[in-house]
Structures are given as C-alpha cells and as structure tokens.
Amino acid sequence: AWVRGHIRQQNNIGTPRAAAEILRTRDGVCRDYATLFTALARAAGLPTRICSGVLYFEGMGGGFFYHAWVECQLTAGDDGWYPFDPTLDE
C-alpha cells in the first residue's frame, strides 16, 4: 500500500531503473512499482522476487496487458511464495 500510495502512475514503458531512482522520482510503470517493493521488502529481510506476465484489465477499454508484480516467501518451501501487486489495488 505504501508503494502504491507514493508512486505516480506513468503510462510509458520506459527503461528499467534502480529502486533508488524510482524512490527519488516517485513515478513509474508496474515494473517500477515491483522493483521498489522488492528492494524495500528485501531490505526488511523478506525474500522477494519480481514476476511478470499478462493480465486482463477492464480499465483502458479492456484487454490483456503485460504486467509485473511480486512474490514474497512467507513460509519455507516452494509453496511458501505469495503474490502481491504493488501497482493495482486488488
């Protein structure tokens, strides 16, 4: 919720950026939200990885869009990874 509340949505693809730059500019696309979330979670000691794929989004006329989110390991083992989406409020 903090990342979503403090980063402005930017509607261009741009280039991959470091978490420090994203935090400084406070704007980005889903990949940037995921990058910043991952850096903050890892700094707090939480194993986190960035994921990407395609999702159906009803906004913007509806359709499938490339998207990035994260998974955090909350319990031991391969089944201990849980998805979080720092971009969308869902």
Side-chain angles (χ1 to χ4, degrees), residues 7-24:
I7 304 296
R8 291 179 310 275
Q9 187 75 20
Q10 176 181 314
N11 291 324
N12 62 13
I13 299 223
T15 59
R17 301 182 296 156
E21 182 181 347
I22 298 163
L23 186 57
R24 183 180 57 75

Side-chain angles (χ1 to χ4, degrees), residues 37-38 40-42 46-51 69-75 77-86:
F37 182 104
T38 299
L40 293 171
R42 286 178 177 175
L46 187 60
T48 305
R49 59 189 178 196
I50 296 175
C51 304
W69 61 94
V70 302
E71 289 181 346
C72 298
Q73 188 174 32
L74 303 181
T75 59
D78 289 340
D79 61 348
W81 291 90
Y82 293 85
F84 295 90
D85 192 330

